[in-house]
């Protein structure tokens, strides 16, 4: 019985955090990662050339590139957060490492993506390349990060399944008890 209360408490806390972070239109992710993304991209470009940074805009070879929220990929960070919060049977320390490790990996990938796209902005078919990075490669990378992290940290559980099974069994037992009365 105590284990059931602990599991239910864990579900409530984890999914409450997911809902709270999602309530504000992912602003917490943009608040944290927008300045990091802008400055990280600027400094990485600065290793190869002399860009200029004005607010949220990087000027590179006379072309302006404004880093908007879509460039920060806040939804990808949120998706990784949701997936790792949906795993029931891991301790808090491992969950934090999973989330921070996946965020760090995604951040590095995103900086490299932005710098690459800025570097090839004059290339033919730039819009097609940008679309492929935005819609295909970024999505695939989130999947690869998730799978990589669960393998590195030896997590065998599929997100949400144990939670749904627990909740289903809990409601099934409650119905049986009521029908016996």
């Amino acid at each position: 019985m105590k284990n059931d209360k602990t599991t239910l408490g864990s579900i409530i806390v984890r999914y409450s955090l997911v809902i709270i972070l999602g309530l504000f239109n992912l602003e917490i992710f943009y608040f944290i990662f927008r300045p990091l993304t802008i400055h990280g991209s600027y400094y990485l470009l600065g290793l190869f050339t002399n860009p200029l940074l004005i607010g949220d805009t990087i000027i590179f070879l006379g072309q302006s590139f404004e880093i908007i929220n879509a460039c920060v990929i806040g939804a990808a960070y949120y998706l990784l957060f949701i997936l790792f919060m949906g795993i029931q049977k891991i301790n808090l320390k491992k969950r934090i490492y999973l989330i921070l490790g996946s965020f760090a990996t995604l951040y590095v990938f995103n900086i490299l993506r932005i710098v690459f796209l800025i570097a090839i902005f004059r290339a033919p078919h730039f819009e097609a390349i940008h679309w492929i990075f935005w819609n295909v490669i970024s999505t695939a990378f989130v999947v690869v990060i998730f799978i990589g992290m669960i393998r590195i940290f030896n997590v065998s559980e599929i997100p949400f399944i144990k939670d749904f099974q627990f909740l289903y069994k809990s409601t099934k037992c409650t119905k049986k008890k009521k029908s016996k009365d």
Side-chain angles (χ1 to χ4, degrees), residues 47-66:
L47 294 176
F48 308 104
T49 185
N50 193 17
L52 181 62
L53 179 63
I54 302 173
D56 296 344
T57 303
I58 298 172
I59 300 171
F60 176 76
L61 299 177
Q63 181 72 32
S64 296
F65 300 92
E66 182 181 1

Side-chain angles (χ1 to χ4, degrees), residues 174-181:
T174 305
K175 287 180 184 178
K176 284 183 182 178
K177 287 180 185 176
K178 285 183 180 179
S179 64
K180 288 181 181 180
D181 293 340

Side-chain angles (χ1 to χ4, degrees), residues 109 113 116-117 128-138:
F109 164 74
R113 177 186 72 87
F116 173 75
L117 290 171
I129 295 167
H130 183 263
W131 185 91
I132 290 167
F133 263 90
W134 179 247
N135 292 293
V136 179
I137 295 173
S138 294

Side-chain angles (χ1 to χ4, degrees), residues 109-148:
F109 164 74
N110 195 36
I111 296 300
L112 293 172
R113 177 186 72 87
I114 290 170
V115 168
F116 173 75
L117 290 171
I118 288 174
I120 67 158
F121 78 95
R122 291 187 177 149
H125 311 295
F126 171 78
E127 289 301 322
I129 295 167
H130 183 263
W131 185 91
I132 290 167
F133 263 90
W134 179 247
N135 292 293
V136 179
I137 295 173
S138 294
T139 302
F141 204 73
V142 169
V143 171
V144 168
I145 290 171
F146 176 73
I147 292 170

